[in-house]
Amino acid sequence: MTKSVSVCFAVVSADAVKPVSVLVGDSVTLLTGLTYIHDVIQWRSDHQNSPVAEIDRKAGLFNTSDGRFTDKLQLDCLTGSLTIRNIGTRHSGLYKADISSSKHTIHKTFNVTVRDAVKSELVTKGETVTLQTNVTEIQKDDQILWIFGEIVIAEINKAAQRFNKGRLKLNNQTGSLNITNTKTTDSGLYELKISSSRHIILRRITVTVTGE
């Protein structure tokens, strides 16, 4: 009698390396693209052999490593997406996510580049100030929000027309925000949120408008 043997193969897939460019002090979220981690995910950086963050459902493990990140890491308990808060230049490098289950293994790699830049603007009343996104060109799935005083003052994405209002002008290619004929009431903290299918970047820019 011949016995039949069934062999199960796990599917392994790897995405192309995703470049992510941020500025010192930004918060960046590296997205897994999943709604729920059923088994295991491990995040590693090229600075550290051991996982910097991991979830293991069966072992009941949910962990983020301190070390060189000193409480900067936040791991989404559902999706496994990794957030690095208040990022610095020393955090530049490759970040790899290994997502494993009984059926498949997925490898995702992000190349994070952190650059130093001024994130405050000082202008005289009546001048124009430009708040930069440092994006070369908005991609199809990108969305850019500018927020001031907890109110969305400008928004742009490829699927919708750019939103300009009064003295606010958005650059259609980069999403940078121009504030024309500035007033002292324009002084304050502006928040920028750049969202895509790959990552989310949060940035704060302080604007000070002085009198004549």
Side-chain angles (χ1 to χ4, degrees), residues 48-144:
Q48 185 172 321
N49 290 327
S50 59
V52 298
E54 58 185 324
I55 296 173
D56 188 330
R57 299 291 185 200
K58 292 181 180 178
L61 180 64
F62 182 88
N63 180 53
T64 55
S65 170
D66 282 336
R68 63 194 300 274
F69 291 95
T70 57
D71 298 324
K72 293 180 181 290
L73 298 181
Q74 181 178 339
L75 188 62
D76 190 300
C77 63
L78 295 178
T79 67
S81 296
L82 181 68
T83 297
I84 310 170
R85 300 186 298 266
N86 192 25
I87 199 167
T89 53
R90 66 194 182 100
H91 301 123
S92 292
L94 293 177
Y95 290 81
K96 301 176 182 179
D98 296 323
I99 306 166
S100 304
S101 71
S102 58
K103 296 181 179 179
H104 62 261
T105 299
I106 301 172
H107 301 292
K108 291 181 177 289
T109 304
F110 300 83
N111 186 10
V112 177
T113 303
V114 185
R115 297 182 293 111
D116 205 353
V118 176
K119 290 197 288 185
S120 61
E121 298 288 345
L122 176 63
V123 295
T124 302
K125 180 181 176 181
E127 293 180 342
T128 295
V129 61
T130 300
L131 308 184
Q132 303 285 354
T133 61
N134 294 100
V135 173
T136 304
E137 184 175 2
I138 299 171
Q139 301 302 308
K140 184 177 180 180
D141 62 346
D142 289 349
Q143 180 189 46
I144 292 178

Side-chain angles (χ1 to χ4, degrees), residues 4 30 47 76 111 141 158 162 176 178 180 199 206 208:
S4 61
L30 308 178
H47 305 285
D76 190 300
N111 186 10
D141 62 346
K158 286 291 186 180
R162 62 180 181 177
S176 295
N178 288 331
T180 62
H199 59 264
T206 301
T208 303

